[in-house]
Amino acid sequence: MKRLDSVLLIAVTLVASWLGMQAVHEAGHVLGAWTTGAQVERVVLHPLAISRTDVSHNCHPLFVTWMGPLLGVAAPVALWVLAEMTRMPGTFVPRFFTGFCLIANGGYLAFGSLQRIGDCGTLLRHGAPLWSLILFGAVAMPLGLLLWNGTGPDFGLGPQPRAIDRRLTIAVAVVAAALVILGLSLPS
């Protein structure tokens, strides 16, 4: 039963982390667009699609585009710090999520810049230097891995696994379900 508890917690944490990372990243683009007076045409967060934000009348494409990865790492860091400061039970989950967001956003910019995909292509077309995208990834990815370091026992892994609190698994599953519902409710 302990192995099943561990597998369930890992599974719902991965689903919530993937969907949450996309939601926070796209929220950054939306905030950037609103801040600069651009028009948000559509946000795609469908759980079976790669997320995106379609913007028109965008006079500040560098700012709007950079806001995705910047908020995509800053908001999770703030959530994790808040969880740690308040000594919230299960703080290793926001810690894992923060690491996930750092790795995902960092990898997206560092490696995506080499093929100019998505946001990377937009940033490069509008004058962001290639080194800035690679530097973002070179800083973010190791920090994400550093945050993941030592969390295995919290997820019930390793030679000295900690007990899994099923209430935490349920809470993370509820977050994942809410993100699925959010993604399905937005027009695609």
Side-chain angles (χ1 to χ4, degrees):
M1 197 60 160
K2 289 181 181 182
R3 181 62 59 199
L4 179 60
D5 288 342
S6 177
V7 168
L8 287 174
L9 179 59
I10 291 168
V12 297
T13 300
L14 286 172
V15 170
S17 292
W18 173 255
L19 298 175
M21 178 274 302
Q22 290 188 107
V24 175
H25 180 101
E26 299 309 326
H29 292 314
V30 170
L31 182 62
W34 288 346
T35 302
T36 61
Q39 179 70 37
V40 176
E41 298 293 331
R42 176 178 28 192
V43 177
V44 175
L45 289 175
H46 193 283
L48 299 178
I50 299 296
S51 65
R52 77 173 194 279
T53 301
D54 298 335
V55 177
S56 62
H57 308 294
N58 187 0
C59 297
H60 303 280
L62 280 175
F63 181 79
V64 172
T65 307
W66 269 116
M67 282 296 290
L70 291 175
L71 189 69
V73 299
V77 167
L79 171 71
W80 171 57
V81 168
L82 180 64
E84 288 287 344
M85 289 174 52
T86 60
R87 299 179 189 261
M88 181 185 92
T91 56
F92 65 92
V93 173
R95 177 180 171 179
F96 180 89
F97 173 61
T98 302
F100 188 96
C101 290
L102 283 160
I103 293 166
N105 281 285
Y108 178 43
L109 289 188
F111 299 115
S113 65
L114 301 176
Q115 295 192 2
R116 299 177 178 266
I117 60 170
D119 292 346
C120 302
T122 302
L123 289 168
L124 294 169
R125 271 191 313 278
H126 291 282
L130 176 62
W131 66 261
S132 66
L133 281 70
I134 294 171
L135 179 63
F136 185 94
V139 171
M141 289 186 298
L143 289 175
L145 291 171
L146 184 64
L147 286 178
W148 279 1
N149 188 40
T151 59
D154 294 317
F155 286 98
L157 302 173
Q160 297 180 327
R162 294 186 184 90
I164 303 293
D165 183 348
R166 289 186 182 155
R167 293 172 299 178
L168 179 61
T169 303
I170 292 168
V172 176
V174 167
V175 169
L179 289 166
V180 167
I181 291 167
L182 172 66
L184 292 173
S185 68
L186 295 174
S188 28

